[in-house]
Amino acid sequence: MSRNTSESSEEREPGGSVSVVDGAPTPGASPAAATGGRRMALDVHGRLRAMILSGELPPGSALLQAEMARKLGVSRTPMREAFRLLQEEGLIDARPDQRARVRAVDPEDLDGVYGARIMLETLAVTTTAKTLTGEDLDRMSELLERMKELADEEKPDEWYAAHHEFHGVATQAVGAQLRRTLSSHAEHSERYIRFAQLGVPGSRARAHKEHEALLAALRAGDEGAAARVIAGHLARTALSVLADVAPEYEPVTTRSALKIAGGGPA
C-alpha cells in the first residue's frame, strides 16, 4: 500500500534504510542522521528551557507535545526527547497518561541548590581571589556596568548572560569539573533569580551592591571578605524567594551552608 509522505515522518532511501525528516532519527538511520536528530532534540530542549526560565511558560503551564511541536516547527520525536531532558532537570513533570506541566517552585529543590552553590562558590571564589589579573578585574568591572545598563533597559536575557560571565570570572581558577558543576547550578538557579527580581522589590539594586562588594574584595585580594560576600549574596536570593513563595518552609540547607561559609548568621 502506498503512503502519502505528508502522513509520515520518515522516507525510504535506496537499499531500504530509513532517513530522517525534521531531525527525527529512526531505526536503520545512518550515524550522521542519528547525530542530526540528537542535535535537533538538544535545540528543542534549549528553546523550551529558555521559555520556562524566562517565564514565557509559567509554573503550572500545561505542555502538549503535539502543540509545542507545531509551535516550534518540529516533529514529535525530538519533542519527546526534549521533554525527557526537561523532566530530568526538574523543570517539568511528565507522567504517563497525564499532561506535562511546568513545575512550580519546589522549596526543597531551591534550598538544596542554593546550599550547594554557597558551599561550592565560596570555595571557588576563595581559590580564585589571589589569581585574578588586572585584566580579569577590569572585565568584571565592565560586566558590572553592563549589567546595570541592561537592567535599566529591561533586557533580562542579556542581563543574565552578563551575570553568568561575571560569576564565571570570579570562580575561574578551579578545575574543569567544578566549573561545570558551578555552571549547571547557576543555570538551574536562573528561574529562582527571576522570581526574586519579580517578587521582591529592590532585589536587583541590592544584588548590584553585592556584586560591587564582591569586586571590591577581589581587587583588594581579600579572599575572606570575598567568600563572605558571595555566601551572603546567594543566601539572600534563596531566602527572599522562599519567604515570598513558601514562607512556611524552613531552609535548613541554605542556613547551614551560610553558617559554614561564614557569610552571616544562620
Side-chain angles (χ1 to χ4, degrees), residues 72-115:
L72 298 182
V74 300
S75 73
R76 296 280 293 274
T77 301
M79 187 60 64
R80 281 194 295 271
E81 176 65 8
F83 271 44
R84 184 187 68 78
L85 293 171
L86 290 169
Q87 185 171 19
E88 286 183 355
E89 289 182 294
L91 291 176
I92 69 172
D93 285 318
R95 298 184 178 88
D97 303 321
Q98 293 185 16
R99 288 184 178 182
R101 291 188 179 276
V102 178
R103 288 186 65 179
V105 173
D106 181 342
E108 186 175 351
D109 176 71
L110 190 159
D111 188 29
V113 167
Y114 271 90

Side-chain angles (χ1 to χ4, degrees), residues 92-168:
I92 69 172
D93 285 318
R95 298 184 178 88
D97 303 321
Q98 293 185 16
R99 288 184 178 182
R101 291 188 179 276
V102 178
R103 288 186 65 179
V105 173
D106 181 342
E108 186 175 351
D109 176 71
L110 190 159
D111 188 29
V113 167
Y114 271 90
R117 283 195 70 186
I118 289 168
M119 297 302 297
L120 294 177
E121 288 203 35
T122 298
L123 171 63
V125 165
T126 301
T127 302
T128 302
K130 292 185 183 291
T131 71
L132 293 171
T133 65
E135 184 177 342
D136 293 328
L137 294 166
D138 288 344
R139 179 55 182 162
M140 290 184 71
S141 182
E142 292 170 2
L143 289 166
L144 196 55
E145 184 60 31
R146 179 66 174 150
M147 287 157 61
K148 187 176 187 302
E149 293 172 358
L150 292 168
D152 292 340
E153 295 170 6
E154 295 296 328
K155 295 181 178 178
D157 291 339
E158 294 179 44
W159 185 93
Y160 286 111
H163 178 257
H164 188 74
E165 185 179 349
F166 179 89
H167 279 261

